[in-house]
Amino acid sequence: MTMADHLPLVTGALRSPFKRPRPDAEFPRTRLVRSGVRVDLARLAAYERLCGFPTGEDGLPLTYPHVLAFPLAMRLMSGRDFPLPLLGLVHTSIDLTRHTALSATGAYELAVHIAGLAPHRRGTEATVVTEALAGGEVVWESRSTYLARHRTDAVPPAAPQERKPLPAGTEWRLGADIGRRYAAVSGDRNPIHLHPLTARLFGFPRPIAHGMWTVARCLAAHGTPEAVLVRAEFRAPVPLPGTVEYAAEGGRFELRRGDRLHVSGTVHPLPSRAGR
């Protein structure tokens, strides 16, 4: 990331104490666009190693366009007209759609906009939509929700339908530095991920893993087809350091610790656009 890319993080942090989030607040309708984006191959390789993807291949991991578009998303969410405080925002879910294989050496146009705000039982959620285009066609897109925690009168949702537990999986030991290492390759330096002292400022006794690192690590283990839709929910923070269990069966995957579910997701193959 360039110095210009880091500036929104600073301005967003400075503005955060003055934001008063609520689900009926006005939000920016701006669509930010960046054209001619190319991948830094050394940074990509560092990302792949940290998340468990194979290195040296031409294709981009499914989650990597999120990293490429992160500076645009930060510009949007750090703006004066974005009603939620940037500091302490928690990533709660993401839908990732890849329509065709993405080349690591290609050039992309990236676009980000806010789709809306919604009440949540713990505060207010914003939905952020990101698109990657090649040759004028959308080849990848995502839909993320981010939660600003605050007191609310929102009615808790109905209890989710119980699902058959996935079979026993593989244990992963997560070091205390995972948050800092992921921040270095992704640019996401939210203080809830970096250090116990900064995490405590936002109500977390320990730093927590980035949601996007957990889902990337799960997808690296699970594997995905060329054209795919992945839906993932970040159900509970993953404290660092710690031990978690990855489990998968068919098109489902989970990251859990004992009876506590941290991440759940589904993988749905789609018809490919390749060759059209």
Side-chain angles (χ1 to χ4, degrees):
M1 294 180 74
T2 66
M3 187 64 69
D5 288 331
H6 283 295
L7 185 59
L9 298 174
V10 176
T11 57
L14 294 174
R15 288 171 176 157
S16 288
F18 304 100
K19 301 288 182 79
R20 296 295 179 263
R22 66 181 198 277
D24 60 345
E26 284 298 314
F27 60 90
R29 265 64 175 183
T30 309
R31 185 174 184 266
L32 296 184
V33 178
R34 179 178 289 179
S35 299
V37 176
R38 291 190 175 273
V39 176
D40 180 326
L41 296 180
R43 185 178 170 202
L44 171 62
Y47 173 90
E48 290 170 331
R49 286 192 295 269
L50 182 61
C51 297
F53 292 107
T55 59
E57 299 186 355
D58 179 59
L60 289 180
L62 175 62
T63 48
Y64 200 69
H66 179 92
V67 174
L68 292 177
F70 185 74
L72 277 184
M74 285 300 96
R75 276 180 52 195
L76 202 54
M77 292 193 287
S78 64
R80 192 182 304 275
D81 53 353
F82 183 69
L84 308 187
L86 185 62
L87 287 185
L89 275 184
V90 178
H91 202 173
T92 51
S93 74
I94 189 166
D95 289 358
L96 295 157
T97 304
R98 181 172 60 197
H99 297 288
T100 188
L102 306 180
S103 171
T105 56
Y108 298 96
E109 178 178 284
L110 303 174
V112 179
H113 71 273
I114 309 297
L117 303 180
H120 184 279
R121 61 189 176 87
R122 291 183 177 173
T124 297
E125 269 187 342
T127 298
V128 180
V129 175
T130 303
E131 297 172 329
L133 297 86
E137 183 177 23
V138 175
V139 292
W140 178 99
E141 53 196 306
S142 72
R143 190 176 185 89
S144 285
T145 55
Y146 294 92
L147 173 66
R149 301 192 301 173
H150 60 86
R151 289 187 177 183
T152 177
D153 296 326
V155 178
Q161 185 177 3
E162 288 194 17
R163 304 181 69 176
K164 179 184 176 182
L166 294 179
T170 305
E171 273 197 354
W172 293 341
R173 293 185 178 180
L174 311 183
D177 63 344
I178 285 291
R180 295 187 291 275
R181 291 170 64 196
Y182 186 78
V185 298
S186 70
D188 184 349
R189 300 183 185 277
N190 189 327
I192 63 177
H193 304 301
L194 303 181
H195 191 276
L197 291 177
T198 55
R200 287 189 201 112
L201 293 174
F202 300 95
F204 296 96
R206 287 190 280 165
I208 63 175
H210 292 75
M212 285 307 299
W213 179 83
T214 63
V215 75
R217 185 69 184 87
C218 288
L219 291 177
H222 188 281
T224 56
E226 178 180 291
V228 66
L229 165 63
V230 169
R231 300 183 185 277
E233 293 187 33
F234 309 113
R235 296 178 176 270
V238 177
L240 300 173
T243 300
V244 292
E245 181 186 13
Y246 163 76
E249 185 176 53
R252 294 174 55 201
F253 63 88
E254 291 179 350
L255 198 63
R256 63 200 184 201
R257 183 177 53 180
D259 294 332
R260 188 168 179 80
L261 182 61
H262 294 288
V263 181
S264 64
T266 55
V267 178
H268 306 277
L270 298 175
S272 176
R273 293 180 182 172
R276 287 191 192 178

